Amino acid sequence: MHRLLLALALIFPLRALADSPMFRGDAAHTGVYAPPAKPIAGKIAWSYEPITWEQYQALEDMDGTFIWPTTPAVVEGRIYFCAGPFFICLDEAGKPVYRVRLAGCSLASPAIADGLAFVPSDAGVLAALDVKNGDVRWTARIGGASQLRQIDNWDVYQSSPTVAGGVVYIGGVDGRIYAIEARDGAVKWSFATGRVVRATPAVADGRVFCGSFDGNVYALDAATGKQLWAVNTKTPGVPWNAVQGSCAVVDGRVYVGSRSAHFYAIDAADGKILWRHDAKGGWVPSSPAVRDGVAYVGQSDGNKVTALSADGHVQWSFDSPNETFASPALAGDVLYVAGNDNYNMRGKGSLSAVDIKTGKSLWNLELPASVWSSPVVVGDTIYLGCADGKLYAIK
């Protein structure tokens, strides 16, 4: 009987184990996570404050701007994220395992692979840290120093590392996209765009897809960095065209938003624009979640989150309590949407659960400050950084 139960457990696991080792969960940035074993009710289970706001202000090189926990990576029961000048590891109960000081501050999500945490800082350094204790294994230069709001008031992200095939791909403030050997930090290649790169490169089918603040979306050969195509998101009559968010690559399509107030579906093979969605004047600064041909897209103004079918038609539109710069997370039949106060950094934020079949709200959790980091769903928990300086676990 015991052998039979063991065999059944191997075939039909009681609970699927799932991790989120990098931004958007995987190298293709689908934003899709394993469904929880039980519904998430939207209740705060615990919160962790790595350092108080008063302590932040007392640190050297801090200018009094808001600092918040970045989108975490969650691997094997450990939660890894950055907060200002620190890289932090927590256990599942929210208790600190270790905290290490970085070369600068980080606005990026770490990536975890092969026992290493890859963590960039605004000092223009990518560090590989031992996940067991945070010890530095190597560092690599990725352009010059960066800072929050270097471009404008809504320049609130730094490119996060993506790891695929033993290579770390990341954007730099110098406008380059870098490919760096994960084992030793050697730069394999770099590709120059026309302006700072805040987007996180997506990697799929031997190609790297990444946008730049020059308004272009680039497809590069992952092995050589050779440009395969570029799509300019400039829209006539719209004064902005920067690509701030990251691409999602699914079924041969590249889905990406732009500050041009449009969202695009692009053929991954040749760069042909298949369709584009008009966000009615709102930027699309976040990354979409994409599954089964449907893209779930947030925008900066209008408080809309939209489900777009494979041909670009609107299936539904959700009126979010707040604007959406953070990228939505899809787990099962529920989309989790984090919101921020676009024009008041001290304003409240929100996390909403949306039924993807109807576009209706299942619940909404008000948070004490804006949420610029993206929700991550692992097991039956949502992990979320908030501008009040805390990382929240929500069940």
Side-chain angles (χ1 to χ4, degrees):
M1 178 60 73
H2 291 297
R3 291 181 179 178
L4 176 60
L5 290 174
L6 177 59
L8 289 173
L10 291 173
I11 299 172
F12 305 106
L14 297 177
R15 178 176 176 180
L17 297 177
D19 290 332
S20 180
M22 65 188 77
F23 183 64
R24 308 304 288 144
D26 55 33
H29 298 342
T30 60
V32 177
Y33 302 86
K38 59 182 180 180
I40 296 174
K43 306 298 182 183
I44 296 174
W46 53 258
S47 65
Y48 175 77
E49 187 174 32
I51 186 170
T52 66
W53 179 239
E54 290 74 18
Q55 290 172 314
Y56 270 131
Q57 291 177 309
L59 288 170
E60 66 271 22
D61 303 323
M62 303 300 288
D63 59 5
T65 58
F66 281 82
I67 301 295
W68 49 80
T70 61
T71 302
V74 184
V75 177
E76 296 181 351
R78 292 289 186 262
I79 305 151
Y80 305 92
F81 64 99
C82 300
F86 296 108
F87 173 68
I88 297 158
C89 174
L90 305 179
D91 65 17
E92 286 182 304
K95 304 301 181 184
V97 178
Y98 61 81
R99 182 178 76 174
V100 297
R101 185 75 184 265
L102 300 171
C105 294
S106 186
L107 312 172
S109 177
I112 311 298
D114 298 324
L116 294 176
F118 300 96
V119 184
S121 74
D122 60 5
V125 174
L126 174 69
L129 310 178
D130 191 314
V131 295
K132 296 190 297 295
N133 51 27
D135 288 351
V136 177
R137 296 304 178 207
W138 54 255
T139 60
R141 297 293 307 181
I142 51 170
S146 175
Q147 62 186 14
L148 196 68
R149 305 190 187 99
Q150 183 163 320
I151 304 298
D152 55 34
N153 197 49
W154 297 275
D155 177 25
V156 292
Y157 299 111
Q158 181 181 356
S159 180
S160 297
T162 298
V163 185
V167 179
V168 185
Y169 301 92
I170 192 168
V173 72
D174 60 352
R176 290 185 172 272
I177 300 167
Y178 288 85
I180 297 172
E181 296 286 358
R183 65 178 181 273
D184 59 10
V187 176
K188 186 175 181 181
W189 54 257
S190 69
F191 172 83
T193 76
R195 211 171 177 203
V196 59
V197 177
R198 298 301 202 193
T200 297
V203 184
D205 301 322
R207 296 184 174 193
V208 178
F209 304 91
C210 191
S212 166
F213 260 66
D214 68 6
N216 289 307
V217 179
Y218 296 91
L220 311 175
D221 184 286
T224 65
K226 178 184 177 181
Q227 179 178 318
L228 304 174
W229 51 256
V231 171
N232 193 317
T233 64
K234 179 66 176 176
T235 299
V238 178
W240 319 282
N241 68 327
V243 179
Q244 186 171 11
S246 303
C247 301
V249 188
V250 183
D251 297 330
R253 290 185 172 191
V254 179
Y255 298 89
V256 64
S258 172
R259 286 187 173 192
S260 69
H262 285 80
F263 178 79
Y264 296 81
I266 303 169
D267 190 309
D270 57 15
K272 178 183 177 181
I273 296 176
L274 302 175
W275 52 260
R276 67 177 190 169
H277 167 72
D278 188 345
K280 307 300 182 184
W283 293 352
V284 185
S286 63
S287 308
V290 184
R291 191 183 69 194
D292 299 330
V294 180
Y296 302 91
V297 184
Q299 64 187 61
S300 66
D301 295 274
N303 293 29
K304 297 291 185 183
V305 178
T306 306
L308 300 171
S309 64
D311 58 3
H313 286 91
V314 175
Q315 290 190 338
W316 51 254
S317 187
F318 168 67
D319 290 319
S320 171
N322 297 90
E323 297 90 345
T324 302
F325 273 66
S327 302
L330 178 60
D333 289 331
V334 181
L335 186 74
Y336 299 98
V337 178
N340 61 280
D341 190 322
N342 200 356
Y343 301 103
N344 177 14
M345 287 292 179
R346 296 184 180 275
K348 294 185 181 299
S350 60
L351 178 68
S352 299
V354 181
D355 186 329
I356 63 168
K357 297 177 182 178
T358 64
K360 303 298 183 183
S361 175
L362 300 172
W363 51 257
N364 178 69
L365 174 65
E366 184 179 84
L367 292 164
S370 285
V371 181
W372 302 89
S373 302
S374 301
V376 171
V377 185
V378 174
D380 61 356
T381 305
I382 302 168
Y383 299 97
L384 185 66
C386 183
D388 67 348
K390 295 179 182 179
L391 183 82
Y392 287 89
I394 298 163
K395 293 181 179 290

